[in-house]
């Protein structure tokens, strides 16, 4: 009895070579399928997109190639690490006294009463010693004078003005 012949090949050594090539291609396809799944899990947060990327790689070689073209350029761990580094740098800047105007993002010092760029009031002066007071303070920490509750301290300040583009105008 002759062994199973693929593509009608009767020569046993040639049939063995064809079988090995097919086995290699199947193993390569399964390896690419697993690699696509593992790489998508490291780069994409959404489980639905991970499933779509893996399903696309079911098309031998082409699906994995398409995934390699459209995949996100960074690993999720790298993105998280970069965000943590940025938060750490911002915290270090805040400790060094680097402050920004809440209205125009101009660099101001912590004891400025007004922003030198936009001229908006940042803090109120103490009525006794003249040092800048935070609107939330009830007592001046420099001279222990009680702070009067003013209208500006009672009403919270807006941090940003809304741009014209941000405001959606009703259409009729």
């Amino acid at each position: 009895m002759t062994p199973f012949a693929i593509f009608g090949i009767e020569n046993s050594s040639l049939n063995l070579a064809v079988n090995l090539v097919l086995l290699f291609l199947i193993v390569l396809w399964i390896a690419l399928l697993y690699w696509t799944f593992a790489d998508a899990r490291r780069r994409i947060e959404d489980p639905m997109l991970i499933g779509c990327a893996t399903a696309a790689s079911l098309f031998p070689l082409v699906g994995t190639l398409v995934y390699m073209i459209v995949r996100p350029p960074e690993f999720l761990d790298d993105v998280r690490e970069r965000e943590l580094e940025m938060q750490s740098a911002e915290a270090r800047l805040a400790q060094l006294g680097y402050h920004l105007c809440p209205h125009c993002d101009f660099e101001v010092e912590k004891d400025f009463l007004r922003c030198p760029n936009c001229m908006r009031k940042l803090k109120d002066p103490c009525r006794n010693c003249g040092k800048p007071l935070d609107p939330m303070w009830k007592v001046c920490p420099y001279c222990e004078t009680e702070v009067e509750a003013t209208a500006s301290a009672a009403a919270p300040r807006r941090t940003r003005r809304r741009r014209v583009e941000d405001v959606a105008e009703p259409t009729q």
Side-chain angles (χ1 to χ4, degrees), residues 55-131:
S57 68
L58 288 174
F59 297 104
L61 302 174
V62 175
T64 303
L65 183 64
V66 169
Y67 167 73
M68 287 175 61
I69 292 170
V70 298
R71 72 183 180 176
E74 292 181 299
F75 292 120
L76 292 173
D77 291 340
D78 294 339
V79 171
R80 289 185 192 110
E81 183 178 346
R82 185 181 68 243
E83 288 173 357
L84 282 174
E85 286 176 2
M86 289 176 64
Q87 288 176 353
S88 172
E90 288 172 356
R92 283 193 305 268
L93 286 174
Q95 284 179 342
L96 294 173
Y98 181 81
H99 300 283
L100 296 177
C101 172
H103 303 285
C104 67
D105 286 337
F106 187 77
E107 185 177 350
V108 295
E109 293 184 18
K110 66 179 182 176
D111 59 346
F112 280 5
L113 297 175
R114 287 194 179 269
C115 173
N117 186 43
C118 67
M119 300 303 291
R120 297 247 180 128
K121 189 176 213 177
L122 300 174
K123 295 181 180 177
D124 293 319
C126 174
R127 60 185 157 98
N128 187 29
C129 66
K131 299 266 187 180

